[in-house]
């Protein structure tokens, strides 16, 4: 580790850890293991966790040596100290983040359940939980993996044991979905997550930035199926670009022209497609437009056995079980003429941004974070600290080779691979998409070069293949993110030939991914090289460069000299395009955060209300407030809607009510008292059917929870649709975020009113049936 004349706080703490290590080295195994009890007792007596950090870190370092045969280096200790102080430790690929993580995880594991190490995928979560679990258990802590083993059903996980553990190794999606399902539970016993105390996120950039715009959504309530999908698809397929519709320069957005709107109106024989009357039809035409002219088959999705299966564009893996929301999946099904599946309402939703902002303490590790340090600080209050490497970096990063055409680029890169294979040097060919990895594989087969292809596989197979990519004569073709988190072992022969050669066939959408690719070579001070072969026809250029660049590429596609010099006018075109993407993605993530904040406030309010009901042992006061609110609610709306009083009573209070007087002739005060009396009479009758106190409180709880869940499902679905609709209002020079906030508040107020009516209806009108075995069956209206 490089030492400075004046050490910073973190380096001074590392020195203190190193001073303490001999003390723990001198302990017997039993004495060392007992330190966990010593530390926990000190915590109970009020000592701060960070105060005992040097001792806890020193103890676990010695234990790691004895149990795993691994003693952390100074830089790993430094990384472990850094993450404890609300930072992201930028540790280069291969610097041993897995061992680094055991120090802060052990420290926080002393506090009990609620501590998580978030890994990149299920395979890594299971692998590291097993490997490092030996160490934690030896020191007296409990540890579990929060994800299912490959081939096992996730529903078979023992969630109670998982979340009672001191340390949980899991993935961001597994934790997020478990949180959402916890808040759909009907009893506290079915809520398993103990707390959100500490989360250490491995590959923090991928989790906190790259997936920030992807919400986790629990679906399950079918909506009434629309018959617009097929008819909208039929007409959209006849449209002409630049006449009926236009696309953005990056080809990711599409919209109708005025002529296109007229064509839609003529086809459907309607007037004013943009009016509120035809809002649903207009939404379906937009879905069809996007499905046909933005989403691409075999890039964004595949058709597999009559089903639309989404694809992770970065690594080519099929996303089984995942569907696009808000009707987009059904629009794709209509486009491909497969069976249109039922649309599902969203029952619960959360973004990763909001999930991780719930933790009391958050930290991260990754090889690439500094390029987005400002965003980490602004959104998550995490600073980025660059940890020096254990050995000096010997990797040679060559300048890019830029070509006009994609074909010329691929053939030039193929020559490099052929030369390396001829001498046995290991080569890792990185591609930006599933389709390009398959194309490159065919080129290698044509040249007679044996190789492994890494795409659309399970994470376990990815790790196995990528770990062998450094062997003598190995040629591996992989998508950009495949095998992330797995070490590449370089054979001695490979080291003598210059180490691993990483050859990128195109630059990725941001510099962080490029740096990750380069970092696969030259790990732990080993030799290695990296080089990128680019073209003006690459995706990053086509979607984000000025049109003059594309025109030049088209004009000179057959030019005899295809490689452009390093000082040509296009030498910085890719760097500029990446900056465009970075700015756009940053804006999109900030927009997601703004929309998510509105959603979070409503979700937290509902979840707190729901949890209060679940944990309450007496709901009589809540019932009293409900009765008064419903009465006031009805009276407030009575004049405006001229609702029939008797109909209201029959529907929500007592379907057998006998009318004895003209209720419409009563004053508001008199009518309110009548309604309250009828409500209490109906509730008392239900209480007589359930005289036992435990049965009655459980019945009341179920009535409220069912009402809350029913109303919230509608609201979640409404907010998803509302987000889409308000974004389109920017065309009319209106602030979409302001419009969303305004409409969301209105929708929330309406939902609370509906929730009250549903709860009252459940309390007064549910059918109670006693079964032969003594159980009670409740049929809600």
């Amino acid at each position: 580790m490089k030492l400075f004349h004046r050490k910073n706080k973190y380096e001074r703490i590392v020195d203190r850890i190193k001073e303490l290590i001999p003390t723990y080295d001198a302990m017997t195994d039993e004495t060392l293991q007992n330190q966990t009890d010593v530390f926990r007792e000190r915590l109970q007596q009020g000592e701060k966790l960070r105060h005992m950090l040097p001792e806890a870190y020193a103890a676990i370092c010695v234990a790691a040596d004895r149990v795993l045969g691994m003693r952390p280096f100074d830089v790993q200790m430094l990384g472990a100290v850094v993450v404890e102080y609300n930072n992201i430790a930028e540790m280069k690929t291969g610097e041993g983040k897995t061992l680094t993580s055991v120090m802060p995880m052990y420290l926080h594991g002393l506090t009990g359940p609620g501590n998580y190490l978030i890994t990149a995928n299920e395979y890594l979560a299971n692998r590291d939980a097993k490997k490092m679990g030996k160490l934690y258990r030896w020191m007296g802590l409990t540890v579990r993996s929060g994800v299912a083993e490959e081939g096992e059903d996730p529903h078979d996980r023992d969630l109670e044991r998982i979340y009672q553990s001191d340390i949980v190794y899991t993935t961001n999606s597994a934790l997020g979905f478990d949180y959402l399902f916890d808040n759909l539970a009907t009893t506290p016993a079915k809520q398993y997550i103990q707390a959100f105390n500490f989360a250490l996120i491995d590959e923090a950039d991928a989790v906190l930035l790259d997936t920030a715009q992807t919400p986790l959504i629990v679906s399950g309530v079918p909506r009434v199926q629309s018959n617009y999908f097929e008819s909208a698809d039929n007409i959209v397929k006849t449209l002409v670009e630049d006449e009926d519709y236009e696309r953005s320069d990056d080809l990711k957005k599409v919209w109708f022209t005025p002529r296109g709107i007229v064509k839609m109106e003529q086809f459907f024989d309607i007037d004013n497609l943009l009016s509120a009357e035809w809002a649903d039809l207009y939404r379906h035409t937009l879905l069809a437009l996007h499905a046909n002219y933005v989403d691409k088959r075999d890039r964004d999705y595949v058709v597999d056995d009559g089903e639309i299966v989404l694809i992770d564009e970065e690594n080519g893996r099929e996303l089984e079980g995942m569907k696009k929301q808000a009707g987009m999946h059904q629009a794709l099904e209509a486009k491909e003429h497969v069976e249109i599946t039922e649309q599902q309402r969203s029952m619960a939703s959360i973004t990763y941004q909001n999930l991780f902002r719930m933790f009391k303490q958050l930290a991260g590790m990754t090889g690439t974070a500094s390029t987005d340090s400002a965003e980490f600080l602004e959104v998550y209050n995490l600073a980025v600290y660059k940890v020096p490497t254990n050995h000096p970096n010997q990797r040679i990063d060559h300048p890019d080779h830029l070509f006009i055409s994609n074909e010329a680029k691929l053939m030039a890169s193929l020559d490099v691979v052929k030369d390396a294979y001829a001498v046995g040097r290991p080569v890792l060919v990185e591609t930006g998409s599933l389709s390009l990895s398959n194309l490159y594989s065919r080129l290698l087969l044509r040249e007679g070069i044996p190789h492994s292809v890494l795409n659309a596989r399970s994470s376990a197979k990815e790790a196995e293949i990528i770990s062998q990519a450094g062997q003598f004569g190995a040629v591996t073709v992989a998508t950009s993110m495949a095998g992330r988190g797995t070490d590449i072992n370089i054979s001695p022969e490979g080291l003598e030939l210059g180490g691993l050669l990483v050859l990128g066939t195109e630059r990725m959408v941001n510099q962080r991914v490029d740096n990750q690719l380069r970092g696969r070579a030259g790990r732990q001070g080993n030799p290695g090289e990296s080089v990128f072969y680019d073209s003006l026809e690459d995706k990053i250029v086509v979607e984000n460069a000025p049109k003059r660049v594309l025109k030049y590429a088209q004009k000179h596609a057959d030019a005899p000299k295809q490689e452009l010099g390093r000082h040509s006018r296009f030498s910085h075109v890719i760097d500029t395009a990446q900056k465009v993407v970075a700015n756009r993605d940053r804006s999109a993530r900030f927009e997601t955060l703004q929309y998510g904040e509105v959603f979070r406030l409503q979700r937290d309010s509902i979840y707190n209300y729901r949890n209060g009901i679940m944990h309450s042992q007496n709901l009589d006061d809540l019932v009293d407030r409900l009765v008064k609110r419903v009465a006031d609610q009805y009276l407030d709306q009575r004049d405006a809607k001229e609702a029939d009083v008797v109909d209201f009573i029959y529907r929500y209070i007592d379907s057998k009510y006998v009318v004895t007087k003209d209720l419409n002739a009563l004053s508001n005060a008199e009518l309110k008292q009548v309604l309250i009396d009828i409500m209490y009479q109906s509730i008392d009758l239900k209480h007589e059917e359930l005289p036992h106190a435990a049965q009655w409180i459980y019945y009341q709880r179920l009535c409220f929870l069912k009402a809350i869940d029913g109303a919230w499902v509608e609201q979640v679905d409404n907010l998803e649709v509302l987000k889409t609709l308000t974004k389109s209002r920017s065309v009319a020079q209106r602030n979409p975020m302001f419009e969303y906030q305004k409409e969301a508040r209105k929708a929330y107020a309406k939902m609370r009113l509906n929730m009250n009516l549903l709860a009252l209806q459940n309390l007064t009108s549910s059918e109670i049936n006693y079964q032969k075995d003594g159980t009670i069956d409740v049929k809600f209206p």
Side-chain angles (χ1 to χ4, degrees), residues 94 239 421 587 607 669 727:
L239 300 182
Y421 176 72
S587 297
Y607 284 0
K727 283 182 178 180

Side-chain angles (χ1 to χ4, degrees), residues 20-37:
L20 290 168
I21 282 178
T23 302
Y24 292 98
D25 266 330
M27 293 180 179
T28 64
D29 285 356
E30 184 178 359
T31 304
L32 181 60
Q33 290 171 303
N34 287 338
Q35 295 308 299
T36 296
D37 292 334

